[in-house]
Amino acid sequence: MHTVVRMKLLLVLLMLDCMCASADVWEFFGPKLRSRRRSLENENAVHDYVKDLTKKYDYPLEVHKVISRQGYILTLHRLPFGRKSNATKRARPSVLLHLGMFGSPECFLFRGPQHDLPYILADAGYDMWILNNRGSTYSKAHVNLNPERDKTFWDFSFHEQGVYDLPQIIDYVLNLTRQKDLFFIGYSMGATIGHVMCSTRPEYNAKIRHFVNFAPVTDTVHILPPSYNIVFSVFPEFVKSLRAQNITELFPRRALAGNILRSLCQNGSSMQSICVASIFLIVGVDYKQFNPELFPHIFRYFPDGSSLKTAEHFIQIMSTGIFREYDYGTTGNRIMYGSDAPPKYNLSQVTAATSIYYGAGDIISTKADCEYLAKKLPNAMGLFKIPYHHFNHMDFMWATNVRQLLYDPLVNLLNKYK
Ligand SMILES: *[C@@H]1O[C@H](CO)[C@@H](O)[C@H](O)[C@H]1NC(C)=O
Ligand SMILES: *[C@@H]1O[C@H](CO)[C@@H](O)[C@H](O)[C@H]1NC(C)=O
Ligand SMILES: *[C@@H]1O[C@H](CO)[C@@H](O)[C@H](O)[C@H]1NC(C)=O
Ligand SMILES: *[C@@H]1O[C@H](CO)[C@@H](O)[C@H](O)[C@H]1NC(C)=O
Ligand SMILES: *[C@@H]1O[C@H](CO)[C@@H](O)[C@H](O)[C@H]1NC(C)=O
């Protein structure tokens, strides 16, 4: 694509993203929209679509809350069994799916049992758990911090999620199900968090029967596309301006922002092709596996909130290429870590059995990155290229043929270790 076109698309994307990032942007559109905003305030309250979807598709749902050691109230959604297989007397091995950044459980539930992984695994005899990231819609609560008012609520990245949240969640599930280990599936940042946990809390390797990586982000060895370099060059200014406005939460799920994106990108809209192209700039180009008719659903559930610090940490990793702790700058690092540079995550400590799935069209987690990771991991059992040449970063959720390409082979893999 021509660079100027790329730049324009990127600007549109940044604009759309900023609209989600700040509620105040609506003031800009004047009183008409403001009153509309007021009328939509109820809609902005968290509506539990997970309940709606599982009910619609007739699957059992349990909602579990776990209070983390740092006081965050985290939500787990559980499908304890499927539609076909509730009568099984045999123990059902637990599978924990860790969502990626800006992901919500609905992203993996809205298309239904023919397409979505949790239903497929529940029907295949697994006890299915989905972990909601700190700061996303269903995990945006704390025992004494208010996410809307207290900036310290948002002072975390995937590091804290890996060191504190995930280990505690695993203990919770194992205790409740009386099992000694579980299957862990990490998608994108979910995989990153798995590696943070296994390298910093190595005793948890024994609690993972198999660690499945979907498009993991750790060390970045590939050359990033120009669109990323543009993002990296404007990012520090972007962060500064958000911090100046006291914005530390990124892309919270908001009904109004979602509705605007939905109408911009819906069928028949002249903007639809720009929506598609903008997303492909970030995740890799794959026209064949992406159905734009999904847009009205997607923007109801995505993006879901995260912290600005998480985005900063990722950009640090992707721009330096090194999978290591958050960089506070030399002075800050000396105070935090006692060294000029942040410590690296030691992947030799990730002794759990691992499998890695990558998409050849993914520009975030590439073949080269995944090969590098597989070489670093002491117990890598498999490195799998998804057998479709353009498979990109979001195809792991929404590819038209994701079931045949990825989920069915995954069920076979898990069955092997069951
Ligand atoms: C399991 O399914 C049977 C019908 O197949 C139903 O009668 C029973 O109530 C179900 N059990 C649970 C716990 O939902
Ligand atoms: C383990 O589960 C039991 C109930 O099954 C509960 O009473 C207990 O507090 C749990 N322990 C931990 C450490 O979560
Ligand atoms: C940001 O927060 C600080 C204190 O927490 C306050 O003094 C300042 O006025 C706030 N800035 C804006 C733009 O709201
Ligand atoms: C959207 O557009 C495509 C062709 O452009 C059409 O085949 C499809 O039926 C439309 N879907 C809806 C829901 O209108
Ligand atoms: C990383 O872990 C391995 C295995 O425990 C150990 O031998 C090595 O010294 C560690 N490396 C660093 C830099 O700590």
Side-chain angles (χ1 to χ4, degrees):
M1 214 186 305
H2 196 274
T3 317
V4 176
V5 180
R6 271 176 190 279
M7 287 285 288
K8 281 188 184 157
L9 290 176
L10 199 77
L11 284 176
V12 171
L13 186 83
L14 279 176
M15 204 181 72
L16 293 177
D17 285 354
C18 294
M19 279 159 68
C20 301
S22 164
D24 299 333
V25 81
W26 305 118
E27 303 300 329
F28 180 79
F29 290 95
K32 196 166 161 216
L33 208 57
R34 268 209 296 279
S35 69
R36 187 166 143 70
R37 178 184 169 188
R38 263 195 296 279
S39 75
L40 279 164
E41 255 162 28
N42 282 342
E43 211 183 312
N44 273 337
V46 177
H47 177 83
D48 194 339
Y49 290 108
V50 177
K51 214 186 239 165
D52 292 357
L53 289 166
T54 49
K55 200 167 161 201
K56 172 175 166 194
Y57 296 120
D58 197 21
Y59 279 73
L61 172 71
E62 291 175 14
V63 181
H64 294 253
K65 302 272 182 192
V66 178
I67 298 177
S68 85
R69 213 153 291 132
Q70 293 190 318
Y72 291 85
I73 304 169
L74 306 170
T75 296
L76 281 157
H77 289 100
R78 180 190 195 191
L79 309 185
F81 45 81
R83 283 183 308 185
K84 304 169 194 155
S85 54
N86 79 351
T88 323
K89 291 244 159 42
R90 273 186 312 130
R92 305 172 63 84
S94 299
V95 177
L96 176 62
L97 171 64
H98 201 312
L99 300 168
M101 191 180 183
F102 304 131
S104 67
E106 292 96 330
C107 290
F108 277 97
L109 293 168
F110 75 81
R111 290 201 292 167
Q114 288 312 311
H115 291 106
D116 288 326
L117 184 60
Y119 305 119
I120 291 169
L121 283 173
D123 280 334
Y126 293 90
D127 167 36
M128 186 69 218
W129 297 77
I130 306 173
L131 173 55
N132 291 264
N133 283 304
R134 241 196 227 197
S136 66
T137 298
Y138 304 109
S139 292
K140 192 170 150 182
H142 190 276
V143 289
N144 49 37
L145 294 174
N146 180 337
E148 307 302 337
R149 281 201 305 268
D150 298 315
K151 275 196 275 184
T152 45
F153 178 94
W154 299 101
D155 186 19
F156 66 85
S157 78
F158 51 80
H159 176 80
E160 286 74 16
Q161 294 192 64
V163 175
Y164 302 103
D165 297 357
L166 182 55
Q168 207 166 338
I169 293 292
I170 288 179
D171 284 339
Y172 177 85
V173 172
L174 295 182
N175 178 42
L176 198 90
T177 57
R178 311 204 168 284
Q179 299 180 78
K180 68 173 191 9
D181 54 22
L182 50 70
F183 290 104
F184 179 76
I185 303 175
Y187 167 45
S188 190
M189 183 178 78
T192 309
I193 289 170
H195 291 295
V196 171
M197 177 186 77
C198 290
S199 58
T200 58
R201 311 276 307 266
E203 66 276 21
Y204 279 83
N205 283 288
K207 301 186 183 190
I208 297 184
R209 192 176 315 176
H210 203 90
F211 177 174
V212 177
N213 290 256
F214 282 180
V217 180
T218 58
D219 293 282
T220 305
V221 297
H222 72 282
I223 309 288
L224 288 151
S227 51
Y228 275 81
N229 292 327
I230 298 170
V231 172
F232 293 161
S233 61
V234 300
F235 192 71
E237 280 305 310
F238 182 65
V239 172
K240 227 197 259 167
S241 72
L242 290 183
R243 290 219 187 277
Q245 297 170 67
N246 289 337
I247 294 173
T248 43
E249 175 185 19
L250 221 49
F251 310 146
R253 206 198 291 188
R254 289 217 167 85
L256 180 52
N259 286 344
I260 289 177
L261 288 172
R262 288 166 69 198
S263 67
L264 280 178
C265 303
Q266 73 190 349
N267 237 11
S269 158
S270 56
M271 288 288 286
Q272 192 181 69
S273 57
I274 295 183
C275 295
V276 174
S278 308
I279 291 176
F280 285 171
L281 271 183
I282 303 291
V283 299
V285 180
D286 182 3
Y287 281 97
K288 207 161 154 215
Q289 291 291 331
F290 181 66
N291 178 0
E293 283 178 47
L294 297 181
F295 271 131
H297 301 280
I298 289 173
F299 287 128
R300 184 176 282 137
Y301 313 125
F302 182 91
D304 204 337
S306 187
S307 70
L308 182 59
K309 191 172 177 183
T310 306
E312 285 182 271
H313 197 174
F314 264 123
I315 294 223
Q316 289 174 0
I317 284 180
M318 294 186 78
S319 55
T320 59
I322 308 169
F323 184 43
R324 61 184 185 186
E325 294 190 34
Y326 184 87
D327 190 347
Y328 291 93
T330 312
T331 318
N333 290 340
R334 282 191 193 137
I335 296 165
M336 295 298 291
Y337 310 121
S339 58
D340 288 0
K344 292 183 194 169
Y345 297 109
N346 187 350
L347 290 170
S348 310
Q349 301 276 9
V350 184
T351 53
T354 48
S355 292
I356 302 171
Y357 290 88
Y358 69 89
D362 188 344
I363 58 175
I364 296 177
S365 170
T366 65
K367 175 173 189 262
D369 297 336
C370 291
E371 283 171 349
Y372 182 85
L373 177 62
K375 253 188 254 151
K376 288 256 169 172
L377 294 173
N379 200 5
M381 317 279 283
L383 173 65
F384 305 109
K385 176 186 168 183
I386 293 159
Y388 176 69
H389 187 64
H390 297 292
F391 204 88
N392 70 22
H393 201 68
M394 74 177 173
D395 284 336
F396 287 83
M397 291 185 281
W398 300 323
T400 304
N401 298 326
V402 66
R403 179 171 193 159
Q404 294 86 326
L405 293 170
L406 175 60
Y407 298 162
D408 284 344
L410 172 73
V411 172
N412 291 335
L413 180 100
L414 297 190
N415 286 345
K416 227 168 69 185
Y417 297 109
K418 205 160 159 179

